[in-house]
Structures are given as C-alpha cells and as structure tokens.
Amino acid sequence: MKSVRLAAIGLLVAIFPITTQAAPANKLVVGFSQIGAESAWRTAETESILSEAKKRGVELKTSDAQQKQENQIKALRSFVAQRVDVIILAPVVETGWQPVLREVKRANIPVVLVDRGINVPDQSLYATLIASDFVQEGSMAAEWLAKKLNGKGNIVELQGTTGAAPAIDRKKGFEEGIGKQSGLKVIKSQSGDFTRSKGKEVMEAFLKAEGKNIQAVYAHNDDMALGAIQAIEEAGFKPGTDIIVVSIDGVKDAFHAMIAGKLNCSVECNPLLGPAAFDAVAAMLAGKSVPKKTIVKDELFDQTNAKNVIESRKY
Ligand code: AHR
C-alpha cells in the first residue's frame, strides 16, 4: 500500500516538478503554488515568500504554474499527497477552485491565499487572504488620469490575465473612476496577460487601429506599460508626452521610466507578502484566529516624486 502511495507521489512530482528548500526533519512544511514569473512584481513576490521561509526555518515546496490553473491544481494535489502542513496559494484566476480545495480541506491542510482572491461559494475552503485592494488601485489610476487629461480624451486599456482578480477589479475600479467624467472614453480594451511582450503586441495593434486618436494608455501592470512604451516609441510617438501612460505595481523599472519621462504614473501594489503570509501560518498553527482578509496598503507615484523615492524602493 505504502509503495503504491509513494509511486503516486512520484508520478505527481514527475508530471509537475516541485522545488524543495530543504530543512531539518520535523520542521514545518509549507507548499507554495505560485502563478509563474510573468512580471517583475511576481518575481519580487516569489523572492519575498522564499526568503521569509528561509528566515523562519520552514521547509518550502514551491511550484511554478507557468500561468496555468491546471498546473496549480496539479501542484495542490501533489502537496496533499506529500502531506504538507499548510498551503500558500497565489491563484491565477478567480473561479474553478472549489473541487481541489475540497480535497485539500478533507486532508486538513489550511490554505493561505496571497495576492489574488478566489470566487468560491464555500468560504471555509481557505483560511485567509492577504492582498491589495485592486478596485481601489484602478480608481486611484482613474482619478490621477482624469486630472491629467482635464476630463477629456480617448484611453486604451491593457488588461491583465483574463479571469484574474486584479484584471477584473482594476478594470472595475478604473471604469467607475472615469465614469464620473463624460469626456473620457475607453476606446479599446484587451488582455496583455500581464507580460511585457504581450503588452507591446496589443499596443501595436491599438496604435495601428487608432494612432493619433489615443491620448492615454491604462495598463493593469507596469510590465505591460513598459511594453506599450516600446510600441509607442516604435510608432514614432513620445510616451509620457504624446500619449500619457498610467499603470499599476510600482516596480523599479517603472520608477526608471517615470524618471526618464516615459511613464507618467504608477499605483503601487506591494508584492512583499512573505512576512504577512508566514505570520498567518504561524498564528493558525498556534490555534489563533486569523482575519478572513488582510488588505495591504498601496501608494501612488508619478513623475513629481519618483526621483525622490526610487532609492528607498525594495522591489
Ligand atoms: O496579482 C498581482 C498582479 O500580477 C501584478 O500587478 C502583476 O504584475 C502580476 O503579474
């Protein structure tokens, strides 16, 4: 029986490679299912989880899903088979988690959601969510842009991954924000999957179709905005001047682009979630209750303050 179980674990690990940060026996074992490495933000989040686990002597099993929910589901099943103590999940999309999380619950493994929320009828399937308020981020971007454009202009939108909480909520918050101004219109909106290359590709298509008709770009993350900036330059326009560029994340490259005058504004989304995630893990294992949701506070940066704060940025 035992060999059958070990064979099953072996098969899962073979299908879906899991990396393990080794630790002495009897240490806490945590499975971390990460979305991928699609953006600088994501790399910073992974680093934060990894370094916090190391600092606390936790054995961490990490799995990179390459932006695919099916890979995350396989990883969760593999964590169950390996009997980890807790699972940290950064879910790529909002829906489709109920069946696998039921399996995790049956195995008595608590789940800490980081970064993105999920849509499940049964809220007991996860213990806690630690994330930014994505709707708020979208409305902060809208408010800033409305002022910059004096309430008038055509905007193109680069959405994040379809079905992902930040893509849904950042769109919603932005639409609500600019909805107050009748002179502002989103004339094109498409997913750039949170990546620089896709952001560039989609922006090229927008420029081909609309050209001089575009006054601003709203990108759901910095990587797509940086791709869009390249496309704008290649099309013979000046990003930051001819076309205003606003995005979300606040990664280092966005600060460099703001200082260079090419990106106008970036709303921060803090990826350094490791300490809060492992605080929640520790609290739960000590039998303490944890809040269902912890909201991370974010700030807005633009060309007026980018230069003064860049040195203090941690990601
Ligand atoms: O879920 C957070 C988003 O995912 C970040 O804004 C983006 O850069 C990442 O890929």
Side-chain angles (χ1 to χ4, degrees):
M1 188 62 192
K2 196 174 173 196
S3 63
V4 173
R5 209 178 77 214
L6 285 176
I9 295 171
L11 186 65
L12 277 166
V13 172
I15 293 169
F16 196 73
I18 304 245
T19 325
T20 300
Q21 215 176 69
N26 300 327
K27 284 284 162 93
L28 182 65
V29 182
V30 173
F32 172 40
S33 169
Q34 177 59 295
I35 292 168
E38 75 280 4
S39 63
W41 187 101
R42 185 69 49 206
T43 306
E45 189 203 33
T46 303
E47 274 299 313
S48 176
I49 302 273
L50 254 60
S51 62
E52 196 61 27
K54 197 168 179 197
K55 202 162 120 191
R56 298 185 189 219
V58 172
E59 181 180 340
L60 192 69
K61 295 175 184 296
T62 54
S63 151
D64 175 340
Q66 292 169 14
Q67 300 247 71
K68 290 196 175 80
Q69 184 181 34
E70 69 210 65
N71 288 342
Q72 291 203 285
I73 291 172
K74 278 181 201 161
L76 294 191
R77 290 198 170 121
S78 165
F79 292 150
V80 169
Q82 294 175 79
R83 302 193 190 293
V84 300
D85 298 302
V86 179
I87 289 174
I88 298 178
L89 168 65
V92 62
V93 289
E94 279 191 337
T95 56
W97 296 103
Q98 183 106 341
V100 70
L101 288 183
R102 274 209 195 109
E103 293 169 35
V104 174
K105 190 180 173 185
R106 271 199 297 274
N108 271 323
I109 301 173
V111 174
V112 174
L113 297 178
V114 286
D115 155 34
R116 300 182 183 178
I118 56 171
N119 217 329
V120 277
D122 180 359
Q123 297 294 303
S124 75
L125 293 178
Y126 67 92
T128 185
L129 163 67
I130 301 156
S132 287
D133 183 340
F134 299 134
V135 176
Q136 170 76 6
E137 291 171 350
S139 60
M140 282 161 84
E143 198 184 313
W144 188 94
L145 188 59
K147 257 193 214 142
K148 180 77 181 171
L149 294 178
N150 289 321
K152 201 172 168 299
N154 292 329
I155 304 159
V156 294
E157 179 183 32
L158 293 166
Q159 296 178 40
T161 303
T162 306
I168 296 166
D169 292 352
R170 287 172 184 168
K171 183 171 181 50
K172 183 170 178 258
F174 188 79
E175 276 169 359
E176 283 167 5
I178 64 153
K180 296 170 195 154
Q181 314 272 337
S182 58
L184 290 175
K185 250 188 228 116
V186 175
I187 55 168
K188 292 263 175 206
S189 181
Q190 203 181 307
S191 172
D193 216 8
F194 283 129
T195 67
R196 201 178 280 216
S197 59
K198 208 64 201 303
K200 180 171 187 268
E201 195 184 305
V202 176
M203 189 64 203
E204 281 166 356
F206 286 169
L207 285 160
K208 220 175 232 170
E210 298 290 343
K212 284 192 173 134
N213 214 13
I214 302 170
Q215 275 77 54
V217 185
Y218 165 50
H220 289 191
N221 81 343
D222 288 339
D223 279 75
M224 290 190 296
L226 295 166
I229 285 171
Q230 262 180 282
I232 293 168
E233 285 178 324
E234 284 171 19
F237 296 105
K238 267 183 104 179
T241 311
D242 298 333
I243 298 178
I244 303 300
V245 187
V246 177
S247 62
I248 296 174
D249 274 357
V251 299
K252 266 271 166 68
D253 279 355
F255 277 82
H256 289 301
M258 283 192 278
I259 292 165
K262 296 179 180 190
L263 177 69
N264 298 83
C265 165
S266 183
V267 178
E268 181 186 43
C269 177
N270 192 341
L272 308 178
L273 304 175
F278 283 98
D279 279 352
V281 169
M284 283 186 310
L285 295 176
K288 295 182 191 152
S289 67
V290 288
K292 199 72 195 176
K293 188 169 181 178
T294 302
I295 296 186
V296 181
K297 228 181 141 306
D298 298 314
E299 286 177 59
L300 182 145
F301 300 97
D302 62 16
Q303 293 179 359
T304 64
N305 56 10
K307 206 170 177 177
N308 296 336
V309 295
I310 189 165
E311 287 308 323
S312 63
R313 300 296 296 165
K314 294 199 171 66
Y315 63 94

